[in-house]
Amino acid sequence: MTYLHLGAGDCVATLEPAPAAPIWRWWGPGAPPGDLPALATLRPPAGFSLDAPVPLTLVPEYGTGWFGPAALRAHREGRDFAPRWHHEATERQGDTITVTLADPATRLRLTQRLAFADGVLRLSATLANNGGPLDLEWLAAGTLPLPPSAARIKSFTGRHNDEFVPHEEPMPAHEWRRETGRGLTGHGGPPGLFVLGEGAGWHAGPVYAAQLAWSGNSRLIVARADNGWLLQAGEALAPGEVRLAPGESHATPELIATCSAAGLNGALQAFHASVRAAGPVLRPRPVHFNSWEGLYFDQDEAKLIALAERAAALGVERFVLDDGWFLGRRSDRAGLGDWRVDPAKYPRGLQPLAERVTALGMEFGLWVEPEMVNPDSDLYRAHPDWVLRLPGVPELTARNQLVLDLGRPEVREHLFEAIDALLRALPIAYLKWDHNRDLAPAGGADGRPGYRAQLLGAYALIDRLRAAHPALEIEACAGGGGRIDAGIAQRAHRFWTSDNLDAVSRARLQRGFLHFMPPERMGAHVGAAPSHATGRTQAMAFRAAAALPGHFGVELDPAALDPGDAATLRAAIARYKAWRDRFHGGRVWLGEGPDGLLWQAHGQADALLLQVTRLAPPHERFPPSLPLPMLGAGRYHARLLDLASGRLPSQPDWTERLRGGVVLDGDWLRQAGLPLPALGAESVALFELVRP
């Protein structure tokens, strides 16, 4: 038998052709199947089930003997609910396989696409309706088998100011499901998960990972069926949201899936490569300054020019004016939707500020929240019908705002014209694109659910603006980290990870982000002390070190810094400029060391920047050595580049030797570990490890 075989290395998919949908035989590390016997020859006689056992197929059916999660749930007024697929065609072009299935009885045709590139498998499905009106309830982007050795699920939850909270739990007895219905990704991070095999950890063992390239409602399923474990994902549709007329079709977002025999790090490295390949090409990430926590709404031309001058003196390369610049905006209660410069605050407009910013050698950026409107705004007074609403349901505000219906072409046209006018009038190189509330209620103009139309409208608006202004960069923000996913990553150059700038909180938040997205996309700012989010105070050296590996930024008023902190921040900015190309673009390894140490490494195995972080005081009397399992053989030159610590190390001789550089064997570093300087609570040590 000739099997369908796709992928390479640790991520291989093998399917057995069949008269119906192809049958899953394997997904994971492996090689071509060779003389693998047909699945039917390996099945025992039927017991209490259909005489012909129903295996897990590429597109599991509903209602015809498969009792696990189905790939499709749809009906025509309660009929045609159980399509029985017949194989129509399989086409292969390079590393892409397209399987077309049809059911003459229900007049449906389903196309499942699988493509392998950059270490990941991309799956998507399209359903075509050739009969009467069809109500679509669920269409999976893809269904994948998981091995019997699957042991644990790692996923993330979160809220505003507390994103990317990690959770590990055993495989379920029945079904595990993560579903979002907020209309956007949510503060738990991308719609994604990691399934860990027995013994899998950061650096070794089998890991199976998936994330949906979608910024709206989503559903992830891990289930136990008669044939073993499976993983399924897709867009979560609201009741009645999609009705296909005769001749219409529906396409899913892409499911990005990868396997790793090298633990969690192998999986996250594949995710990073896939996001980089699909997203905008990035130049070196400029040092970023955001005005929000420095001034909030208390802003005018003189204050902002003074703030920009202080930012430039630190070495900042991009200055972003956050919320508060537009018509009637004195607080979050008014003005959203009126994207015109407020003449009361800025009698001369924003041109003098933008010109001063660019004269200082910085790019000029601006905050917008196009998808929202305040009831107290000229736009809402002129077009109260332009918001998402449901008949009989009050207009529910959040942050004193409603959601504009971007499913309407006239709304998108109005927003494009308003933002395009700003981009043409001012030297704006960057937009911070915010989204500060969930979609509730989410009724469109016809009273039907508008979640999907809203998101597709937002995508279309961003795409149109970028096409009109190709040099424009966009940051995706949603109350901090509420819209971080591989769908918006195809359009945005940067993510705002969280409104929480507390450096201790950020240590966990940013590690969660790096499970799915590469570091150059991670907005990481040095905030004020005490933190505006938590009230905790950390030393400037520690705050700056925590932000260093991401897209480095500053969000405070430099005038409030004492000379020592200002000098420390200025030095950190210079350090970032020198090392950003090495932090960004290469591979990332995350790990945990003895006695509560956290570490991450950036680059390649023969040339790394290693950041070691201690959050809490040590328990052990002597500093531990740190094993680095990703290193190769041969000798390494290890050098301490920076020690951000509020305490003097207890062994200055070794610290000074490390600053000068020492040569250690790679096998020793991999197994016994790198001897570290003593680190107190809230300390970071940064090393360079290079193999000559």
Side-chain angles (χ1 to χ4, degrees), residues 136-137 217 219 235-242 442 448-452:
L136 179 62
E137 297 178 356
N217 294 338
R219 181 182 301 154
E235 178 189 0
L237 299 173
E241 185 166 14
V242 175
R448 298 169 70 88
Y451 299 100
R452 178 179 175 82

Side-chain angles (χ1 to χ4, degrees), residues 503-505 507-508 542 596-598 613-617 680-683:
V504 172
S505 298
R508 174 186 53 74
F542 178 68
L597 292 175
L598 301 175
T613 301
R614 177 174 292 289
L615 299 179
E682 299 176 5
S683 296

Side-chain angles (χ1 to χ4, degrees), residues 154-169 176 178 180 186-190 192 481 508-509 512 516:
K154 184 173 186 178
S155 63
F156 295 84
T157 59
R159 61 167 175 80
H160 178 238
N161 278 342
D162 194 27
E163 292 88 342
F164 287 104
V165 179
H167 296 275
E168 279 198 27
E169 54 199 300
W176 179 95
R178 179 193 177 202
T180 57
H187 289 83
R508 174 186 53 74
L509 282 164
F516 299 97

Side-chain angles (χ1 to χ4, degrees), residues 199-358:
W202 288 112
H203 316 291
V207 172
Y208 304 81
Q211 60 172 312
L212 198 66
W214 186 245
S215 310
N217 294 338
S218 62
R219 181 182 301 154
L220 303 173
I221 297 171
V222 174
R224 179 84 181 179
D226 290 344
N227 305 94
W229 299 106
L230 65 85
L231 185 159
Q232 191 177 83
E235 178 189 0
L237 299 173
E241 185 166 14
V242 175
R243 171 171 286 181
L244 298 179
E248 287 187 334
S249 62
H250 175 91
T252 71
E254 278 193 327
L255 175 62
I256 303 170
T258 191
C259 315
S260 166
L264 285 161
N265 282 318
L268 68 85
Q269 288 166 8
F271 278 161
H272 292 183
S274 70
V275 170
R276 286 166 173 157
V281 176
L282 302 183
R283 57 191 170 92
R285 301 290 75 211
V287 179
H288 193 96
F289 187 96
N290 186 279
S291 71
W292 181 240
E293 289 198 4
L295 293 178
Y296 290 103
F297 291 112
D298 182 21
Q299 57 181 251
D300 58 31
E301 181 183 308
K303 290 178 180 177
L304 280 160
I305 286 178
L307 188 66
E309 289 171 344
R310 294 192 288 270
L314 292 172
V316 168
E317 298 167 304
R318 175 188 286 156
F319 182 89
V320 179
L321 171 56
D322 208 287
D323 194 358
W325 58 269
F326 46 95
L327 190 65
R329 192 68 162 175
R330 303 293 183 275
S331 70
D332 64 11
R333 295 183 175 277
L336 275 180
D338 297 338
W339 301 111
R340 306 184 301 280
V341 179
D342 191 332
K345 280 188 179 180
Y346 300 97
R348 300 195 300 164
L350 291 179
Q351 193 72 37
L353 171 63
E355 289 176 353
R356 182 58 181 149
V357 166
T358 55

Side-chain angles (χ1 to χ4, degrees), residues 1 98 130 150 231 241 243 247 342 365 426 476 507 530 556 569 606 627 634:
M1 178 177 290
T98 304
N130 298 311
L231 185 159
E241 185 166 14
R243 171 171 286 181
D342 191 332
L426 294 165
L556 48 75
L569 180 54
D606 58 353

Side-chain angles (χ1 to χ4, degrees), residues 18 24-25 134 145 157 193 226 235 333 380 417 451 593 658 673 685:
W24 272 113
R25 296 302 303 268
L134 181 82
T157 59
L193 79 165
D226 290 344
E235 178 189 0
R333 295 183 175 277
Y380 181 81
E417 291 177 357
Y451 299 100
L658 282 172

Side-chain angles (χ1 to χ4, degrees), residues 456-467:
L456 294 178
Y459 281 172
L461 177 59
I462 293 171
D463 291 346
R464 185 179 175 191
L465 284 166
R466 288 191 59 217

